[in-house]
Amino acid sequence: MHFASDNSGPAHPEVMESLLRANAGYAMPYGKSDLDAEAQGKLREVFEAPEAAVHFVATGTAANSIILATLCAPFETVFCSDVAHIHEDECNAPEFFSGGAKLTLVPHENGKITPEALRAVVSAEESRGVHGPQRGPVSITQASEKGTVYTLAEIRAISEVCREFGLPLHMDGARFANACARLGCTAAEMSWKSGVDALSFGGTKNGLMGVEAAVLFGPAKAWELELRRKRGAHLFSKNRYLSAQMLPYLSNDLWLHSAAKANERCAELTRGLSQIAGTRMAFQPEANILFAHLPRAVHKALHEAGAQYYLWSGELEGEDPREPLLARMVCDWSIPREKVAAFVDIARAADPG
Ligand SMILES: *Cc1c(COP(=O)(O)O)cnc(C)c1O
């Protein structure tokens, strides 16, 4: 019963088979093999973006950092939510890779930033002339860190604010697939057609061993992105093994099917846990992440049964069995329906009422 994160699960068998196939003979290094061209081409095809610059890296932090460094001068600032992964979970890598650009936080609502809050924060960040930070890119996370999903209208409204101020829009899509499956739209609609200029396209959390794509939809800064990937130590000499993972992922909608499965398991988990007295969802689970306040007794029973997930606040040990403790649970593409059902059964049996 593994719900700690969607990166704790295995890679998809089709991905491993593709790696084995790629592991034959010789191929040109540093992204110059046929397989590399094929995988980049496949991504451009899926996104209906023949001009896009596509580079593979091994972590989401690298994708975010080299993109933001490409979009943000050292004297500028990146606007992002106060719970953004780039703010809370990347050890200041975006600031480091950009040569000292800063992040300016926009208070989130349900894990997302609103156009109004963004406009207010961007407006306030230009009053000190040469002395202050200059406005730089806006970064949003889709699906959000809290498991909610921006609608296409919401993305467009944010991109309009970006356009008002002449700022590029970056999307941290570590869970792009989960959001896209949820909205039932195309990859293009959820990105460049809604005004997104640059995308960190996730793969690792959805069935790859470790590949994310750094994508610029306009080709203008393609070469700079490539230079920053090399300088950022993410230009793989055996790049074919990254491409060998990305290619099957993007073929036959594997990326979407896997994400849809993860989302369905999360919906089942949400329904099951909602039947426990005193349960409260902290955010509306719209993708594959759930934040729930559950009674201590329920957490204890799950913990004793060996279930894995993070307690977000509070202590497992304590007096009151009814005291609600906040937990985060994440479903990956591979978690079986029976494991979700077993988890829910244990939780419900421990319901203190
Ligand atoms: C997991 C994740 C990333 C990437 O994290 P890495 O550990 O660097 O691969 C980026 N953004 C979000 C929102 C994430 O959840």
Side-chain angles (χ1 to χ4, degrees):
M1 294 180 289
H2 287 272
F3 299 95
S5 178
D6 36 6
N7 51 26
S8 60
H12 197 281
E14 281 184 38
V15 171
M16 301 311 285
E17 284 158 23
S18 172
L19 275 167
L20 280 178
R21 278 196 302 278
N23 192 36
Y26 293 78
M28 290 306 280
Y30 298 111
K32 300 291 182 211
S33 73
D34 293 346
L35 192 56
D36 297 317
E38 205 185 332
Q40 287 169 313
K42 191 76 200 171
L43 195 140
R44 293 189 189 103
E45 181 191 314
V46 166
F47 278 84
E48 306 166 56
E51 300 268 84
V54 178
H55 295 300
F56 302 136
V57 294
T59 69
T61 299
N64 287 340
S65 296
I66 67 167
I67 287 176
L68 290 171
T70 303
L71 298 180
C72 194
F75 42 80
E76 293 176 345
T77 190
V78 178
F79 298 96
C80 65
S81 97
D82 52 348
V83 292
H85 197 272
I86 57 171
H87 169 55
E88 293 197 314
D89 289 297
E90 299 192 357
C91 202
N92 301 1
E95 293 93 323
F96 173 72
F97 279 90
S98 63
K102 65 180 278 179
L103 305 182
T104 297
L105 304 182
V106 182
H108 78 100
E109 250 174 58
N110 296 313
K112 306 187 277 188
I113 57 178
T114 63
E116 296 74 31
L118 177 63
R119 188 179 287 105
V121 172
V122 172
S123 300
E125 192 61 284
E126 186 64 73
S127 52
R128 290 172 295 281
V130 70
H131 302 286
Q134 306 297 300
R135 293 168 182 149
V138 173
S139 179
I140 58 173
T141 307
Q142 176 79 322
S144 82
E145 289 81 358
K146 300 302 177 195
T148 51
V149 171
Y150 287 91
T151 64
L152 294 186
E154 287 171 336
I155 299 170
R156 286 192 201 115
I158 284 170
S159 83
E160 271 160 35
V161 177
C162 294
R163 205 147 315 131
E164 247 172 68
F165 291 93
L167 310 176
L169 178 58
H170 165 250
M171 178 179 277
D172 176 350
R175 297 187 180 87
F176 185 94
N178 302 91
C180 205
R182 163 78 188 199
L183 294 182
C185 64
T186 66
E189 284 166 345
M190 214 176 76
S191 56
W192 63 271
K193 285 187 176 174
S194 294
V196 173
D197 300 295
L199 170 69
S200 305
F201 177 68
T204 310
K205 288 186 170 128
N206 193 32
L208 302 191
M209 267 175 64
V211 185
E212 319 277 307
V215 182
L216 297 182
F217 291 105
K221 291 193 163 183
W223 180 236
E224 181 178 339
L225 184 75
E226 178 63 329
L227 293 173
R228 288 191 181 276
R229 176 167 70 133
K230 172 67 184 181
R231 192 164 184 263
H234 270 259
L235 175 59
F236 281 63
S237 60
K238 290 201 176 180
N239 200 74
R240 67 166 137 161
Y241 294 98
L242 273 59
S243 297
Q245 297 174 59
M246 195 52 94
L247 189 56
Y249 185 60
L250 291 169
S251 305
N252 305 319
D253 288 340
L254 178 62
W255 64 288
L256 275 176
H257 293 314
S258 296
K261 270 200 282 180
N263 290 357
E264 274 168 39
R265 296 295 90 77
C266 187
E268 290 161 13
L269 189 59
T270 303
R271 282 195 294 276
L273 295 179
S274 297
Q275 291 166 351
I276 294 167
T279 296
R280 192 167 61 78
M281 295 296 152
F283 305 97
Q284 189 59 40
E286 293 171 336
N288 64 327
I289 307 179
L290 172 162
F291 282 87
H293 300 273
L294 293 166
R296 172 176 283 116
V298 170
H299 287 299
K300 277 195 156 174
L302 288 166
H303 184 77
E304 274 155 32
Q308 306 273 350
Y309 58 88
Y310 290 112
L311 263 193
W312 223 248
S313 70
E315 299 290 331
L316 196 57
E317 296 312 321
E319 288 297 305
D320 182 0
R322 287 189 181 76
E323 188 188 344
L325 308 176
L326 180 62
R328 188 191 79 162
M329 292 154 197
V330 190
C331 295
D332 83 318
W333 68 274
S334 75
I335 188 93
R337 177 172 272 147
E338 300 76 54
K339 293 285 182 189
V340 174
F343 184 92
V344 167
D345 286 346
I346 293 165
R348 288 176 61 187
D351 184 355

